[in-house]
Amino acid sequence: MNRRIFFSLLSAGALGLAGCQKTATDEIPVGEFASLTGKEATFGQSSHEGTVLAVEEINAAGGVLGKKFKLLTEDNGSKPGESANAVNKLIAKDGVVAILGEVASSRSMEAAPICQSNKIPQISPSSTNPKVTETGDYIFRVCFIDPFQGTVMANFARKTLKAQKVAIFTDVKSDYSKGLAKFFKEGFLKAGGQVVSELDYNGGDKDFKGQLTAIKSANPEGVFVPGYYTDAALICIQAKEVGLTVPIFGGDGWESEKLTEIGKESVEGTYFSTHYSPDAGGPKGKAFVEAYKKRYNGKLPDAMAALGYDSAMILADAIKRAGSTDGSKIRDALAATKDFDAVTGKITINAQRDADKAAVILKVKDGKFSYIETIAP
Ligand code: PHE
């Protein structure tokens, strides 16, 4: 055995026994917090898989500033309160130089004040509520925001589905859902439509029939459900049961294979907007699809996987340009990101630390998500 390998095995073993995640001096500790289990587990798992693939590629290419990335991942179980714990641990115990996460806006917003006060840059791959990055100048994202996504779906409902009257059914427990409902409504009214019913549910509810019956009696021509996939699938099933047969559509929170697993034929013909489709990328996107399939037994990447990958790549690029792992230098370099060639499209970080990017609309067809169109910002 060559000496270097022997020594690194020895030190890894010793650290493992000590039971703490100390990072070797030739490594850059990068934190990630995600919903790997619990209600939105597929979000965290996809995002994590994309992030891991990026870190492996970064390290295989020699790392950054001559050091390898060491990814330290914490699971928040999709539960409120756990993201704050996770991020506190990553910063205080593990000494991470930056934090990647979360998918869900409410959980990113829970972590953001902690990252901001510790001056540790946070990059959310896919949280779309505007408030996420408003927390402060250390908080970034590599995706579009919901004023855009809401307008995209409002125009789609009004112009493509030709709906004049719609209902909106919102998860009041989710900042994402409340924000997207509001922006959709503004866009739909502006497009000359009318909102005939606005009702609420609590994420995790099992019975939506009371509200769906009330929505049906308002006679909408479409129903916008800006929620997450488990609730959306159950809502589509129960809508059919109460005889509400008009088109139902949502936003990026619908994107999970669980949507069709749970919803089966009840989600056929529904639509949602999201960030990415494996069918619509440029050369960079195609290479990513191939690498991801190879790494994960032929599985196709979804939007969270692609954005998770991009979040790690953007961080690596910023650290390279900063020439340092100092929080404030990484922050400045992230803020200066321009035309970065990412899997989900070119990323320029704007003055609000968000990315102006296109959205795609997908349709559920034969149990799959089929690409309909791309809407530029
Ligand atoms: N945009 C959602 C949120 O902010 C999360 C999400 C992103 C879900 C991408 C699916 C795909 O909460």
Side-chain angles (χ1 to χ4, degrees):
M1 186 184 296
N2 121 359
R3 220 182 228 187
R4 273 216 357 244
I5 298 178
F6 176 72
F7 274 111
S8 66
L9 284 176
L10 190 73
S11 63
L15 291 168
L17 278 177
C20 74
Q21 303 196 36
K22 274 274 178 296
T23 304
T25 47
D26 60 346
E27 289 176 327
I28 297 176
V30 173
E32 181 202 22
F33 69 113
S35 54
L36 297 176
T37 57
K39 213 161 85 49
E40 280 95 44
T42 71
F43 284 171
Q45 288 160 3
S46 286
S47 184
H48 177 64
E49 284 174 3
T51 306
V52 165
L53 178 62
V55 169
E56 286 172 359
E57 288 181 9
I58 291 161
N59 288 345
V64 180
L65 310 181
K67 297 182 178 192
K68 301 268 164 83
F69 267 12
K70 178 173 178 171
L71 187 66
L72 302 158
T73 305
E74 292 289 326
D75 176 19
N76 56 32
S78 309
K79 291 198 202 95
E82 292 303 318
S83 295
N85 291 343
V87 166
N88 273 320
K89 175 179 178 287
L90 287 166
I91 296 174
K93 286 221 178 91
D94 301 329
V96 298
V97 304
I99 296 221
L100 306 175
E102 229 256 12
V103 172
S105 291
S106 295
R107 294 193 283 271
S108 287
M109 283 158 65
E110 196 183 301
I114 301 168
C115 295
Q116 179 68 29
S117 64
N118 284 282
K119 296 198 179 343
I120 295 294
Q122 176 187 354
I123 309 173
S124 165
S126 48
S127 290
T128 45
N129 187 289
K131 287 186 222 144
V132 171
T133 49
E134 285 167 13
T135 306
D137 61 347
Y138 278 73
I139 318 300
F140 296 83
R141 80 180 105 213
V142 295
C143 59
F144 57 63
I145 58 173
D146 286 334
F148 170 64
Q149 178 167 222
T151 309
V152 164
M153 283 318 278
N155 289 334
F156 178 77
R158 187 74 196 91
K159 297 183 184 142
T160 307
L161 299 179
K162 308 234 178 309
Q164 164 65 29
K165 296 186 295 176
V166 295
I168 305 176
F169 196 21
T170 307
D171 173 1
V172 283
K173 269 199 188 159
S174 152
D175 293 300
Y176 158 72
S177 190
K178 288 186 285 186
L180 189 52
K182 170 176 172 268
F183 300 120
F184 171 86
K185 181 181 175 183
E186 288 169 6
F188 197 72
L189 296 179
K190 211 167 149 200
Q194 198 189 338
V195 178
V196 292
S197 174
E198 288 173 81
L199 288 174
D200 295 343
Y201 65 92
N202 287 293
D205 282 353
K206 294 288 171 269
D207 187 355
F208 304 92
K209 284 194 192 141
Q211 299 99 309
L212 290 168
T213 305
I215 288 176
K216 189 187 166 207
S217 59
N219 281 319
E221 291 152 349
V223 184
F224 184 53
V225 181
Y228 291 142
Y229 58 89
T230 316
D231 303 324
L234 292 177
I235 287 167
C236 290
I237 293 172
Q238 294 177 20
K240 294 269 158 18
E241 286 170 8
V242 304
L244 179 62
T245 53
V246 296
I248 303 183
F249 41 94
D252 56 352
W254 281 38
E255 192 173 353
S256 168
E257 71 262 28
K258 293 275 180 230
L259 181 82
T260 47
E261 247 176 74
I262 300 169
K264 301 208 174 61
E265 62 284 348
S266 299
V267 297
E268 283 291 309
T270 58
Y271 299 89
F272 62 91
S273 51
T274 188
H275 306 260
Y276 159 89
S277 160
D279 301 327
K284 188 102 189 174
K286 295 215 170 72
F288 168 71
V289 173
E290 287 320 307
Y292 188 91
K293 277 166 66 183
K294 204 165 148 217
R295 174 69 174 79
Y296 299 110
N297 302 319
K299 188 171 155 190
L300 271 178
D302 56 17
M304 287 131 292
L307 289 165
Y309 179 94
D310 285 345
S311 69
M313 287 299 185
I314 284 265
L315 175 64
D317 174 67
I319 295 178
K320 258 181 225 160
R321 281 185 290 108
S324 162
T325 55
D326 179 73
S328 67
K329 299 226 168 77
I330 299 176
R331 192 226 78 86
D332 291 348
L334 279 171
T337 303
K338 206 167 176 284
D339 282 332
F340 180 85
D341 194 13
V343 160
T344 54
K346 286 255 190 299
I347 296 178
T348 295
I349 297 295
N350 66 23
Q352 287 73 41
R353 295 170 303 282
D354 306 324
D356 299 315
K357 288 159 78 196
V360 298
I361 294 178
L362 306 182
K363 179 179 190 177
V364 183
K365 196 164 170 265
D366 304 322
K368 301 223 161 32
F369 299 152
S370 74
Y371 169 74
I372 302 287
E373 57 180 323
T374 300
I375 318 282

